[in-house]
């Protein structure tokens, strides 16, 4: 009867040990019990006028007993036998089954074996006197394979070394939860130590230490790591306009390889660009900045690749993909000029002839008694420009770049100066100020919000405008800057700039601000001619000359250097410009089954966030199937919406995001699902 009621014979209770398997400390259970009694007593006090005293005490006693039983169950009570003859000792053996275990750099019994083969030699099978055979003599081994989590491995199952990620902590936690009711003596983990998600092995050891179980780790793989090239990271813009140069920032690692190697940019099987890398002694990481101009429209997937070297053991990490979406809309530019001059004519013409730009010119014809303008290139929705410069963010937000010509600061109201500053800082728009008798410090911009955005330091005593002719030379920083790039080779680029005609006219400034880059300077005085920097979300340029037109008239008509310079300038300035609707994913490449997080920023006509919009993401998979996913405001960020999508096919995906309340076209973003290489990284 006792065995039927209490599961074990009475001798087990005499010789065994009563334990709790729950990780909830006994002190916590005691505190919860006291709190439960206090709650019962409070209920007893509130009900004593309605229930007789003796009956109420019975109810109180039952309630306290119920709380005690519940806390006992939460503690997970168990009996642990202390009789050696009745005790079966278990040892958990965890074998790393992730993809990095396929690397053939292990120094096992045989040379040149994979890490998994070395692990099998340690583990032993088919009667070998190895780890399993030894553990069988002392107890019962339980074998697990693990990558992101642990799974039991039967006698006939094989390890595949195919896991895409490794999580040591979760592996130990899941195994310990499954074997919690068993007398676990120890845990042995065979691994190469590659962990790319979750907690560390030290965290796992602390988890087991709370139960009094040691964690023993057997390492496989070479030390130092094998010779290897790795593309560590690629930073590229997701969206650019047609004919815009793409700037890539690439990090490559070269482990135990000191010979020069190539880094290639490819689309499909076509090599677009090759960059030669000379490894630095004592540094295995090299960072590159390369540029190229895509020759397509729409989205395309590119590959950064290091050709496989002789003797290289790990080739899976030699490539990394990224996607670029080429936009075909026209870049809107607002150019305001204080008086008719050659600079206005030639700069406007440089972009007017290019279908990728939409230039709206505001040329002041008179300032007395009122300002009158000749507006060129405006559409019906921009009639307000006839009355002067925009006065609201909704009006100015229709443009992505503003060119300020020879026009004084007093022409603008204080609200308009603030508007221009917010246009750059918040909207991410581009701003360039041109030299002239009414610009920079001469134009009274010192101390204004616009003056604060400039990369140059200006004052009211900077000097007078000079009409002198002078040679403009590239600063070393300008040799590789996208605005100044006529050729990808810096030396050739320098030689081309050395042949350029002189400039006419320069506005003096006090210097440049900290963090600004001087790209062009006056040859003799080293005075800044072109300086740039980032300001808030946008970019600002100061071109202190008012005579770039002289470049054009001094060169043959077939030479388009002047046009290229200004188009590259404006394209670079607007790289951070925000639209009313933008979409992005939290990564560019995913593995099959990974969760893709899609986010969208929704801004109203005044560029203020909208939190009550109806936003839908339409995902198109590589097979052409579509699925609509509702996007919800994430609450923690104004105007940001998010949804989750799990892909089940490898290939390129397109996400189109639309908003019901806004009169804007849907926007697209892209991501790629491919076999992950994170197991072969670092």
């Amino acid at each position: 009867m006792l065995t039927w009621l209490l599961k074990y014979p009475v001798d087990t209770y005499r010789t065994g040990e009563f334990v709790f398997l729950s990780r909830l400390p006994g002190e916590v259970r005691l505190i919860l019990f006291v709190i439960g009694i206090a709650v019962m007593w409070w209920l007893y006090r509130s009900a004593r006028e309605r229930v007789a005293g003796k009956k109420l005490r019975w109810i109180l006693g039952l309630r306290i007993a119920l709380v005690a039983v519940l806390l006992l169950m939460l503690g997970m009570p168990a009996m642990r036998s202390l009789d050696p003859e009745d005790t079966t000792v278990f040892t958990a053996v965890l074998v790393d089954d992730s993809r990095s275990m396929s690397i053939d750099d292990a120094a096992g019994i045989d040379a040149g074996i994979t890490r998994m083969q070395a692990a099998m030699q340690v583990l032993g099978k088919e009667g070998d006197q190895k780890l399993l055979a030894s553990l069988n003599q002392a107890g019962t081994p339980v074998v697990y394979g693990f990558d992101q989590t642990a799974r039991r491995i039967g006698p006939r199952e094989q390890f595949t070394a195919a896991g895409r990620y490794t999580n040591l902590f979760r592996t130990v936690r899941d195994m310990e939860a499954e074997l919690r009711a068993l007398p676990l003596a120890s845990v042995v983990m065979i691994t190469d130590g590659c962990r790319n998600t979750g907690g560390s092995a030290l965290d796992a050891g602390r988890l087991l230490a709370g139960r009094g179980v040691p964690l023993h780790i057997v390492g496989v793989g070479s030390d130092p790591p094998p010779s290897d090239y790795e593309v560590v990271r690629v930073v590229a813009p997701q969206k650019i306009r047609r004919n815009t140069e793409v700037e890539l920032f690439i990090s490559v690692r070269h482990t135990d390889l000191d010979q020069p190697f190539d880094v290639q940019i490819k689309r499909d099987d076509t090599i677009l660009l090759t960059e030669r890398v000379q490894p630095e002694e004592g540094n295995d990481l090299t960072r590159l900045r390369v540029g190229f101009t895509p020759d397509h429209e729409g989205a395309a997937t590119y590959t950064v690749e290091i050709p496989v070297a002789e003797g290289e053991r790990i080739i899976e990490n030699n490539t990394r993909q990224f996607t670029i979406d080429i936009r075909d809309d026209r870049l809107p530019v607002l150019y305001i000029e204080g008086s008719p001059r050659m600079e206005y004519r030639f700069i406007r013409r440089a972009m007017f002839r290019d279908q990728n730009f939409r230039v709206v010119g505001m040329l002041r014809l008179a300032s007395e008694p009122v300002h009158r303008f000749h507006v060129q290139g405006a559409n019906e929705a921009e009639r307000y420009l006839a009355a002067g410069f925009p006065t609201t963010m909704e009006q100015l937000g229709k443009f992505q770049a503003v060119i300020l010509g020879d026009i004084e600061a007093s022409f603008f109201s204080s609200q308009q100066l603030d508007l221009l500053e917010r246009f750059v800082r918040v909207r991410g728009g581009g701003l360039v100020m041109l030299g002239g008798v009414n610009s920079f410090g001469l134009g009274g911009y010192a101390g204004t919000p616009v003056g604060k955005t400039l990369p140059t330091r200006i004052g009211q005593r900077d000097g007078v405008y000079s009409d002198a002719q002078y040679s403009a030379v590239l600063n070393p920083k300008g040799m590789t800057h996208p605005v100044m790039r006529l050729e990808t080779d810096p030396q050739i680029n320098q030689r081309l700039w050395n042949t350029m005609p002189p400039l006419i006219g320069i506005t003096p400034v006090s210097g440049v601000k900290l963090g600004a880059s001087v790209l062009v300077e006056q040859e003799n005085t080293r005075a800044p001619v072109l300086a740039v920097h980032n300001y808030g979300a946008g970019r600002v340029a100061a071109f202190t000359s008012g005579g770039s037109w002289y470049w054009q008239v001094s060169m043959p008509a077939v030479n388009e250097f002047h046009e290229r310079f200004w188009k590259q300038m404006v394209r670079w300035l607007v790289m951070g410009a925000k639209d009313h609707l933008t979409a992005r994913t939290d990564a560019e490449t995913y593995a099959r089954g990974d969760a893709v997080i899609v986010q969208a920023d929704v801004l109203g006509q005044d560029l203020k966030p909208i939190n009550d919009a109806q936003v839908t993401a339409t995902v198109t998979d590589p097979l052409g199937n579509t699925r609509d996913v509702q996007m919800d405001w994430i609450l923690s960020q104004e105007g940001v919406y998010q949804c989750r999508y799990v892909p089940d096919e490898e290939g390129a995906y397109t996400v189109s995001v639309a908003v019901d309340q806004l009169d804007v076209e849907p926007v697209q973003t892209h991501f790629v699902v491919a076999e992950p290489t994170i197991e072969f990284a670092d």
Side-chain angles (χ1 to χ4, degrees), residues 256-279:
D256 195 32
L257 292 168
D258 56 2
Q259 297 300 315
F261 62 95
D262 292 334
V263 177
Q264 299 173 344
I265 313 297
K266 302 172 67 175
R267 181 159 66 94
D268 299 326
D269 295 327
T270 303
I271 299 176
L272 305 177
L273 177 68
T274 300
E275 188 80 8
R276 191 71 169 169
V277 178
Q278 175 63 58

PDB file of all heavy atoms in Angstrom, residues 256-279:
ATOM      1  N   ASP A 256      47.351  33.967 -41.337  1.00  0.00           N
ATOM      2  CA  ASP A 256      48.528  33.172 -41.692  1.00  0.00           C
ATOM      3  C   ASP A 256      48.788  33.180 -43.196  1.00  0.00           C
ATOM      4  O   ASP A 256      49.310  32.213 -43.747  1.00  0.00           O
ATOM      5  CB  ASP A 256      48.364  31.728 -41.176  1.00  0.00           C
ATOM      6  CG  ASP A 256      49.685  30.966 -41.187  1.00  0.00           C
ATOM      7  OD1 ASP A 256      50.727  31.602 -40.994  1.00  0.00           O
ATOM      8  OD2 ASP A 256      49.673  29.742 -41.423  1.00  0.00           O
ATOM      9  N   LEU A 257      48.396  34.253 -43.859  1.00  0.00           N
ATOM     10  CA  LEU A 257      48.655  34.411 -45.294  1.00  0.00           C
ATOM     11  C   LEU A 257      49.158  35.836 -45.504  1.00  0.00           C
ATOM     12  O   LEU A 257      48.420  36.800 -45.273  1.00  0.00           O
ATOM     13  CB  LEU A 257      47.390  34.165 -46.117  1.00  0.00           C
ATOM     14  CG  LEU A 257      46.858  32.726 -46.130  1.00  0.00           C
ATOM     15  CD1 LEU A 257      45.454  32.684 -46.719  1.00  0.00           C
ATOM     16  CD2 LEU A 257      47.782  31.818 -46.930  1.00  0.00           C
ATOM     17  N   ASP A 258      50.402  35.988 -45.920  1.00  0.00           N
ATOM     18  CA  ASP A 258      50.997  37.318 -46.018  1.00  0.00           C
ATOM     19  C   ASP A 258      51.288  37.744 -47.446  1.00  0.00           C
ATOM     20  O   ASP A 258      51.926  38.764 -47.683  1.00  0.00           O
ATOM     21  CB  ASP A 258      52.282  37.390 -45.197  1.00  0.00           C
ATOM     22  CG  ASP A 258      53.290  36.318 -45.602  1.00  0.00           C
ATOM     23  OD1 ASP A 258      52.991  35.558 -46.539  1.00  0.00           O
ATOM     24  OD2 ASP A 258      54.360  36.245 -44.968  1.00  0.00           O
ATOM     25  N   GLN A 259      50.803  36.975 -48.436  1.00  0.00           N
ATOM     26  CA  GLN A 259      51.020  37.335 -49.823  1.00  0.00           C
ATOM     27  C   GLN A 259      49.904  38.268 -50.314  1.00  0.00           C
ATOM     28  O   GLN A 259      48.776  38.191 -49.833  1.00  0.00           O
ATOM     29  CB  GLN A 259      51.055  36.077 -50.704  1.00  0.00           C
ATOM     30  CG  GLN A 259      52.195  35.128 -50.369  1.00  0.00           C
ATOM     31  CD  GLN A 259      53.555  35.787 -50.543  1.00  0.00           C
ATOM     32  OE1 GLN A 259      53.802  36.459 -51.542  1.00  0.00           O
ATOM     33  NE2 GLN A 259      54.431  35.609 -49.560  1.00  0.00           N
ATOM     34  N   PRO A 260      50.203  39.158 -51.268  1.00  0.00           N
ATOM     35  CA  PRO A 260      49.143  40.012 -51.828  1.00  0.00           C
ATOM     36  C   PRO A 260      48.022  39.172 -52.435  1.00  0.00           C
ATOM     37  O   PRO A 260      48.269  38.109 -53.005  1.00  0.00           O
ATOM     38  CB  PRO A 260      49.881  40.825 -52.903  1.00  0.00           C
ATOM     39  CG  PRO A 260      51.317  40.789 -52.488  1.00  0.00           C
ATOM     40  CD  PRO A 260      51.528  39.459 -51.848  1.00  0.00           C
ATOM     41  N   PHE A 261      46.806  39.661 -52.313  1.00  0.00           N
ATOM     42  CA  PHE A 261      45.652  38.928 -52.842  1.00  0.00           C
ATOM     43  C   PHE A 261      44.652  39.915 -53.414  1.00  0.00           C
ATOM     44  O   PHE A 261      44.723  41.127 -53.149  1.00  0.00           O
ATOM     45  CB  PHE A 261      45.005  38.061 -51.765  1.00  0.00           C
ATOM     46  CG  PHE A 261      44.458  38.825 -50.583  1.00  0.00           C
ATOM     47  CD1 PHE A 261      43.123  39.195 -50.521  1.00  0.00           C
ATOM     48  CD2 PHE A 261      45.285  39.175 -49.521  1.00  0.00           C
ATOM     49  CE1 PHE A 261      42.613  39.895 -49.443  1.00  0.00           C
ATOM     50  CE2 PHE A 261      44.794  39.878 -48.434  1.00  0.00           C
ATOM     51  CZ  PHE A 261      43.462  40.231 -48.392  1.00  0.00           C
ATOM     52  N   ASP A 262      43.707  39.393 -54.200  1.00  0.00           N
ATOM     53  CA  ASP A 262      42.707  40.221 -54.868  1.00  0.00           C
ATOM     54  C   ASP A 262      41.363  40.138 -54.154  1.00  0.00           C
ATOM     55  O   ASP A 262      40.987  39.074 -53.630  1.00  0.00           O
ATOM     56  CB  ASP A 262      42.516  39.784 -56.320  1.00  0.00           C
ATOM     57  CG  ASP A 262      43.736  40.077 -57.173  1.00  0.00           C
ATOM     58  OD1 ASP A 262      44.487  41.003 -56.824  1.00  0.00           O
ATOM     59  OD2 ASP A 262      43.939  39.373 -58.184  1.00  0.00           O
ATOM     60  N   VAL A 263      40.656  41.252 -54.141  1.00  0.00           N
ATOM     61  CA  VAL A 263      39.259  41.303 -53.710  1.00  0.00           C
ATOM     62  C   VAL A 263      38.443  41.722 -54.927  1.00  0.00           C
ATOM     63  O   VAL A 263      38.688  42.786 -55.509  1.00  0.00           O
ATOM     64  CB  VAL A 263      39.053  42.285 -52.551  1.00  0.00           C
ATOM     65  CG1 VAL A 263      37.576  42.373 -52.181  1.00  0.00           C
ATOM     66  CG2 VAL A 263      39.869  41.869 -51.340  1.00  0.00           C
ATOM     67  N   GLN A 264      37.482  40.891 -55.319  1.00  0.00           N
ATOM     68  CA  GLN A 264      36.718  41.122 -56.540  1.00  0.00           C
ATOM     69  C   GLN A 264      35.271  41.482 -56.224  1.00  0.00           C
ATOM     70  O   GLN A 264      34.684  40.941 -55.282  1.00  0.00           O
ATOM     71  CB  GLN A 264      36.738  39.876 -57.434  1.00  0.00           C
ATOM     72  CG  GLN A 264      38.130  39.463 -57.887  1.00  0.00           C
ATOM     73  CD  GLN A 264      38.131  38.142 -58.633  1.00  0.00           C
ATOM     74  OE1 GLN A 264      37.167  37.374 -58.567  1.00  0.00           O
ATOM     75  NE2 GLN A 264      39.216  37.865 -59.346  1.00  0.00           N
ATOM     76  N   ILE A 265      34.715  42.389 -57.019  1.00  0.00           N
ATOM     77  CA  ILE A 265      33.289  42.711 -56.979  1.00  0.00           C
ATOM     78  C   ILE A 265      32.673  42.086 -58.225  1.00  0.00           C
ATOM     79  O   ILE A 265      33.085  42.401 -59.349  1.00  0.00           O
ATOM     80  CB  ILE A 265      33.034  44.227 -56.968  1.00  0.00           C
ATOM     81  CG1 ILE A 265      33.938  44.921 -55.937  1.00  0.00           C
ATOM     82  CG2 ILE A 265      31.566  44.511 -56.717  1.00  0.00           C
ATOM     83  CD1 ILE A 265      33.685  44.501 -54.523  1.00  0.00           C
ATOM     84  N   LYS A 266      31.665  41.218 -58.032  1.00  0.00           N
ATOM     85  CA  LYS A 266      31.090  40.486 -59.151  1.00  0.00           C
ATOM     86  C   LYS A 266      29.575  40.621 -59.152  1.00  0.00           C
ATOM     87  O   LYS A 266      28.947  40.760 -58.097  1.00  0.00           O
ATOM     88  CB  LYS A 266      31.464  38.997 -59.057  1.00  0.00           C
ATOM     89  CG  LYS A 266      32.961  38.736 -59.033  1.00  0.00           C
ATOM     90  CD  LYS A 266      33.285  37.280 -58.741  1.00  0.00           C
ATOM     91  CE  LYS A 266      32.850  36.362 -59.853  1.00  0.00           C
ATOM     92  NZ  LYS A 266      33.272  34.964 -59.602  1.00  0.00           N
ATOM     93  N   ARG A 267      29.016  40.615 -60.342  1.00  0.00           N
ATOM     94  CA  ARG A 267      27.565  40.452 -60.513  1.00  0.00           C
ATOM     95  C   ARG A 267      27.368  39.261 -61.438  1.00  0.00           C
ATOM     96  O   ARG A 267      27.843  39.279 -62.581  1.00  0.00           O
ATOM     97  CB  ARG A 267      26.922  41.706 -61.097  1.00  0.00           C
ATOM     98  CG  ARG A 267      25.401  41.563 -61.273  1.00  0.00           C
ATOM     99  CD  ARG A 267      24.722  42.911 -61.345  1.00  0.00           C
ATOM    100  NE  ARG A 267      25.083  43.674 -62.520  1.00  0.00           N
ATOM    101  CZ  ARG A 267      24.377  43.660 -63.655  1.00  0.00           C
ATOM    102  NH1 ARG A 267      23.310  42.883 -63.762  1.00  0.00           N
ATOM    103  NH2 ARG A 267      24.748  44.389 -64.678  1.00  0.00           N
ATOM    104  N   ASP A 268      26.679  38.252 -60.920  1.00  0.00           N
ATOM    105  CA  ASP A 268      26.615  36.950 -61.581  1.00  0.00           C
ATOM    106  C   ASP A 268      28.055  36.437 -61.733  1.00  0.00           C
ATOM    107  O   ASP A 268      28.765  36.330 -60.753  1.00  0.00           O
ATOM    108  CB  ASP A 268      25.887  37.051 -62.918  1.00  0.00           C
ATOM    109  CG  ASP A 268      24.442  37.515 -62.741  1.00  0.00           C
ATOM    110  OD1 ASP A 268      23.854  37.154 -61.713  1.00  0.00           O
ATOM    111  OD2 ASP A 268      23.922  38.227 -63.613  1.00  0.00           O
ATOM    112  N   ASP A 269      28.495  36.156 -62.942  1.00  0.00           N
ATOM    113  CA  ASP A 269      29.864  35.675 -63.153  1.00  0.00           C
ATOM    114  C   ASP A 269      30.787  36.745 -63.729  1.00  0.00           C
ATOM    115  O   ASP A 269      31.925  36.453 -64.109  1.00  0.00           O
ATOM    116  CB  ASP A 269      29.853  34.461 -64.096  1.00  0.00           C
ATOM    117  CG  ASP A 269      29.140  33.266 -63.484  1.00  0.00           C
ATOM    118  OD1 ASP A 269      29.220  33.112 -62.253  1.00  0.00           O
ATOM    119  OD2 ASP A 269      28.488  32.506 -64.231  1.00  0.00           O
ATOM    120  N   THR A 270      30.301  37.986 -63.792  1.00  0.00           N
ATOM    121  CA  THR A 270      31.084  39.071 -64.379  1.00  0.00           C
ATOM    122  C   THR A 270      31.842  39.827 -63.295  1.00  0.00           C
ATOM    123  O   THR A 270      31.248  40.290 -62.315  1.00  0.00           O
ATOM    124  CB  THR A 270      30.174  40.048 -65.140  1.00  0.00           C
ATOM    125  OG1 THR A 270      29.435  39.338 -66.131  1.00  0.00           O
ATOM    126  CG2 THR A 270      30.995  41.147 -65.790  1.00  0.00           C
ATOM    127  N   ILE A 271      33.157  39.948 -63.459  1.00  0.00           N
ATOM    128  CA  ILE A 271      33.978  40.696 -62.520  1.00  0.00           C
ATOM    129  C   ILE A 271      33.915  42.172 -62.896  1.00  0.00           C
ATOM    130  O   ILE A 271      34.327  42.581 -63.983  1.00  0.00           O
ATOM    131  CB  ILE A 271      35.433  40.194 -62.537  1.00  0.00           C
ATOM    132  CG1 ILE A 271      35.497  38.719 -62.136  1.00  0.00           C
ATOM    133  CG2 ILE A 271      36.294  41.032 -61.600  1.00  0.00           C
ATOM    134  CD1 ILE A 271      36.884  38.124 -62.233  1.00  0.00           C
ATOM    135  N   LEU A 272      33.388  42.998 -61.991  1.00  0.00           N
ATOM    136  CA  LEU A 272      33.242  44.427 -62.246  1.00  0.00           C
ATOM    137  C   LEU A 272      34.442  45.225 -61.777  1.00  0.00           C
ATOM    138  O   LEU A 272      34.764  46.273 -62.345  1.00  0.00           O
ATOM    139  CB  LEU A 272      31.986  44.956 -61.550  1.00  0.00           C
ATOM    140  CG  LEU A 272      30.665  44.256 -61.888  1.00  0.00           C
ATOM    141  CD1 LEU A 272      29.538  44.851 -61.060  1.00  0.00           C
ATOM    142  CD2 LEU A 272      30.361  44.376 -63.371  1.00  0.00           C
ATOM    143  N   LEU A 273      35.090  44.748 -60.739  1.00  0.00           N
ATOM    144  CA  LEU A 273      36.179  45.513 -60.133  1.00  0.00           C
ATOM    145  C   LEU A 273      37.093  44.561 -59.376  1.00  0.00           C
ATOM    146  O   LEU A 273      36.624  43.619 -58.729  1.00  0.00           O
ATOM    147  CB  LEU A 273      35.614  46.575 -59.182  1.00  0.00           C
ATOM    148  CG  LEU A 273      36.598  47.433 -58.397  1.00  0.00           C
ATOM    149  CD1 LEU A 273      37.346  48.362 -59.347  1.00  0.00           C
ATOM    150  CD2 LEU A 273      35.865  48.247 -57.338  1.00  0.00           C
ATOM    151  N   THR A 274      38.388  44.797 -59.463  1.00  0.00           N
ATOM    152  CA  THR A 274      39.371  44.019 -58.709  1.00  0.00           C
ATOM    153  C   THR A 274      40.276  44.975 -57.944  1.00  0.00           C
ATOM    154  O   THR A 274      40.838  45.909 -58.520  1.00  0.00           O
ATOM    155  CB  THR A 274      40.221  43.130 -59.637  1.00  0.00           C
ATOM    156  OG1 THR A 274      39.371  42.218 -60.328  1.00  0.00           O
ATOM    157  CG2 THR A 274      41.242  42.341 -58.837  1.00  0.00           C
ATOM    158  N   GLU A 275      40.396  44.755 -56.642  1.00  0.00           N
ATOM    159  CA  GLU A 275      41.236  45.577 -55.781  1.00  0.00           C
ATOM    160  C   GLU A 275      42.345  44.700 -55.207  1.00  0.00           C
ATOM    161  O   GLU A 275      42.090  43.643 -54.612  1.00  0.00           O
ATOM    162  CB  GLU A 275      40.401  46.182 -54.639  1.00  0.00           C
ATOM    163  CG  GLU A 275      41.132  47.189 -53.806  1.00  0.00           C
ATOM    164  CD  GLU A 275      41.194  48.563 -54.445  1.00  0.00           C
ATOM    165  OE1 GLU A 275      40.521  48.772 -55.480  1.00  0.00           O
ATOM    166  OE2 GLU A 275      41.902  49.432 -53.908  1.00  0.00           O
ATOM    167  N   ARG A 276      43.597  45.129 -55.400  1.00  0.00           N
ATOM    168  CA  ARG A 276      44.746  44.385 -54.906  1.00  0.00           C
ATOM    169  C   ARG A 276      45.031  44.790 -53.463  1.00  0.00           C
ATOM    170  O   ARG A 276      45.061  45.984 -53.128  1.00  0.00           O
ATOM    171  CB  ARG A 276      45.972  44.674 -55.767  1.00  0.00           C
ATOM    172  CG  ARG A 276      47.162  43.752 -55.501  1.00  0.00           C
ATOM    173  CD  ARG A 276      46.875  42.365 -56.023  1.00  0.00           C
ATOM    174  NE  ARG A 276      48.088  41.530 -56.021  1.00  0.00           N
ATOM    175  CZ  ARG A 276      48.071  40.228 -56.227  1.00  0.00           C
ATOM    176  NH1 ARG A 276      46.914  39.607 -56.453  1.00  0.00           N
ATOM    177  NH2 ARG A 276      49.189  39.542 -56.232  1.00  0.00           N
ATOM    178  N   VAL A 277      45.229  43.800 -52.594  1.00  0.00           N
ATOM    179  CA  VAL A 277      45.449  44.051 -51.170  1.00  0.00           C
ATOM    180  C   VAL A 277      46.831  43.540 -50.786  1.00  0.00           C
ATOM    181  O   VAL A 277      47.181  42.390 -51.085  1.00  0.00           O
ATOM    182  CB  VAL A 277      44.379  43.360 -50.302  1.00  0.00           C
ATOM    183  CG1 VAL A 277      44.663  43.585 -48.817  1.00  0.00           C
ATOM    184  CG2 VAL A 277      42.993  43.872 -50.660  1.00  0.00           C
ATOM    185  N   GLN A 278      47.604  44.395 -50.129  1.00  0.00           N
ATOM    186  CA  GLN A 278      48.906  44.013 -49.587  1.00  0.00           C
ATOM    187  C   GLN A 278      48.770  43.905 -48.071  1.00  0.00           C
ATOM    188  O   GLN A 278      48.625  44.910 -47.383  1.00  0.00           O
ATOM    189  CB  GLN A 278      49.965  45.055 -49.945  1.00  0.00           C
ATOM    190  CG  GLN A 278      51.326  44.785 -49.309  1.00  0.00           C
ATOM    191  CD  GLN A 278      51.953  43.488 -49.785  1.00  0.00           C
ATOM    192  OE1 GLN A 278      52.164  43.293 -50.973  1.00  0.00           O
ATOM    193  NE2 GLN A 278      52.243  42.585 -48.852  1.00  0.00           N
ATOM    194  N   PRO A 279      48.775  42.693 -47.506  1.00  0.00           N
ATOM    195  CA  PRO A 279      48.596  42.548 -46.051  1.00  0.00           C
ATOM    196  C   PRO A 279      49.671  43.294 -45.267  1.00  0.00           C
ATOM    197  O   PRO A 279      50.839  43.327 -45.665  1.00  0.00           O
ATOM    198  CB  PRO A 279      48.691  41.035 -45.838  1.00  0.00           C
ATOM    199  CG  PRO A 279      48.401  40.427 -47.171  1.00  0.00           C
ATOM    200  CD  PRO A 279      48.925  41.399 -48.173  1.00  0.00           C
TER     201      PRO A 279
END
